[in-house]
C-alpha cells in the first residue's frame, strides 16, 4: 500500500474512487473528520449521515486508502404558514476535506463535482437552487478552492463558531440551475 509520504510526491491527478457512506465505513469517516476539522462532530451527525440519502455523502479512496470525504444535507426553509418551501430548498455542504498529503491532486474537486451533480439532477427542486457552505475566516485554501469552482462569498457571519477562533465565517454559495427531472437513484 502506498504511504501518504509517497503519495505526496506522486504526479497530480490521482485516480479517485468515490464510494457511498455505509455502516461499515462510518468509523473511518469519523477518524478522517477528526483529523481534518477543528470542530468535533457529534455521534448524531454520523447516525444521521448513515440514515440520509446515500448521494449526500461520498468517501474518496485512492488505491483503497480513505483520503477525503464530503457530507451534505438538504435544507428546506419554511413558508409563513409553516409548510416546506420546496422552491427554496438548498444543498448544504457540512464537511468537505482531503488529507493534506493528497491535496492539490483533484480529490477535492471530484468530491465537489459529485455535490453539484446531486443538485443538478435533484428531484426535489426545479429552477435555480443554491449549494452553500461555511468557511472559517482565515481558511484561505478552502476559500480559494471554492472560488475556483465558481462559488462566491455572500456574507460574513460574525461569531458563527462558539468554540474555535477566529469565530467568524464566510457564507459561500453557488447558484445552480437544476432540471428536477430525475430521481436520486438515477444519478
Ligand atoms: N495539478 C495541479 N494542481 C491541481 C490539480 C492537479 N492535477 N488538481 C487540482 N489542482 C489545484 C486546483 O486548481 C486547486 O487550486 P485552487 O485552490 O487555487 O483553486 C487546488 O489544487 C485544490 O484543488 P483540489 O486538488 O481539487 O482540492 P483538494 O483535494 O486539495 O481539496 C480542500 C481542497 C478540500 C479545500 C482541502 O484543502 C482541504 O481538505 N482542506 C482542509 C479541510 C477544509 O478546510 N475543508 C473546507 C472547509 S469548509 C467545509 O468543509 C464545508
Amino acid at each position: 500500500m502506498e504511504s501518504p509520504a509517497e503519495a505526496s510526491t506522486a504526479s497530480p491527478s490521482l485516480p479517485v474512487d468515490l464510494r457511498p457512506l455505509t455502516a461499515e465505513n462510518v468509523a473511518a469517516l469519523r477518524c478522517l473528520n477528526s483529523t481534518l476539522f477543528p470542530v468535533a462532530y457529534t455521534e448524531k451527525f454520523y447516525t444521521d449521515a448513515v440514515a440520509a440519502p446515500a448521494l449526500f455523502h461520498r468517501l474518496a479512496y485512492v488505491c483503497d486508502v480513505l483520503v477525503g470525504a464530503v457530507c451534505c444535507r438538504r435544507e428546506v426553509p419554511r413558508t409563513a404558514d409553516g409548510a416546506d418551501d420546496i422552491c427554496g430548498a438548498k444543498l448544504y455542504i457540512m464537511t468537505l476535506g482531503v488529507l493534506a498529503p493528497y491535496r492539490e491532486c483533484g480529490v477535492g474537486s471530484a468530491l465537489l463535482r459529485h455535490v453539484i451533480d446531486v443538485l443538478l439532477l435533484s428531484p426535489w427542486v426545479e429552477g435555480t437552487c443554491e449549494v452553500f457552505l461555511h468557511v472559517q475566516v482565515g481558511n484561505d485554501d478552502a476559500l480559494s478552492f471554492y472560488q475556483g469552482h465558481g462559488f462566491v462569498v455572500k456574507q460574513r457571519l460574525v461569531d458563527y463558531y462558539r468554540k474555535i477562533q477566529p469565530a467568524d465565517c464566510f457564507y459561500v454559495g453557488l447558484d445552480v440551475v437544476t432540471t428536477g427531472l430525475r430521481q436520486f437513484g438515477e444519478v
Side-chain angles (χ1 to χ4, degrees), residues 12-13 93 95-98 103-106 108-109 134 139 142 144-145:
S13 290
I93 303 180
T95 59
L96 190 160
V98 176
R103 288 179 196 160
E104 302 197 351
C105 296
S109 296
H134 299 106
N139 189 348
S144 146
F145 168 76

Side-chain angles (χ1 to χ4, degrees), residues 8 14 32 68 70 84 111 117 120 134 137 160-161 183:
S8 67
L14 295 172
L32 182 86
V70 63
D84 282 354
L111 289 165
D117 285 350
L120 280 174
H134 299 106
V137 167
Y160 178 78
Y161 299 107
Q183 297 298 315

Side-chain angles (χ1 to χ4, degrees), residues 13-162:
S13 290
L14 295 172
V16 190
D17 184 16
L18 298 187
R19 300 181 193 164
L21 176 66
T22 65
E24 285 69 43
N25 61 24
V26 67
L29 175 67
R30 197 183 293 114
C31 284
L32 182 86
N33 281 353
S34 69
T35 305
L36 288 172
F37 302 109
V39 173
Y41 291 91
T42 61
E43 198 48 46
K44 183 175 184 314
F45 175 95
Y46 294 101
T47 313
D48 289 351
V50 173
L55 285 164
F56 285 1
H57 309 278
R58 276 296 181 270
L59 277 60
Y61 290 81
V62 172
C63 301
D64 270 337
V65 176
L66 177 63
V67 302
V70 63
C71 297
C72 301
R73 71 167 180 244
R74 182 189 179 204
E75 298 251 311
V76 185
R78 299 277 172 169
T79 59
D81 56 0
D84 282 354
D85 176 11
I86 301 295
C87 295
K90 300 177 179 186
L91 195 64
Y92 177 42
I93 303 180
M94 297 184 285
T95 59
L96 190 160
V98 176
L99 291 175
Y102 294 88
R103 288 179 196 160
E104 302 197 351
C105 296
V107 179
S109 296
L111 289 165
L112 190 57
R113 256 195 314 276
H114 170 79
V115 173
I116 307 289
D117 285 350
V118 169
L119 198 61
L120 280 174
L121 302 175
S122 159
W124 33 264
V125 64
E126 192 166 346
T128 302
C129 185
E130 185 186 48
V131 52
F132 76 101
L133 56 123
H134 299 106
V135 174
Q136 188 181 18
V137 167
N139 189 348
D140 295 335
D141 284 348
L143 199 56
S144 146
F145 168 76
Y146 285 110
Q147 287 174 325
H149 286 86
F151 285 71
V152 293
V153 172
K154 298 196 171 182
Q155 208 180 340
R156 180 174 177 139
L157 303 176
V158 175
D159 289 338
Y160 178 78
Y161 299 107
R162 276 179 298 153

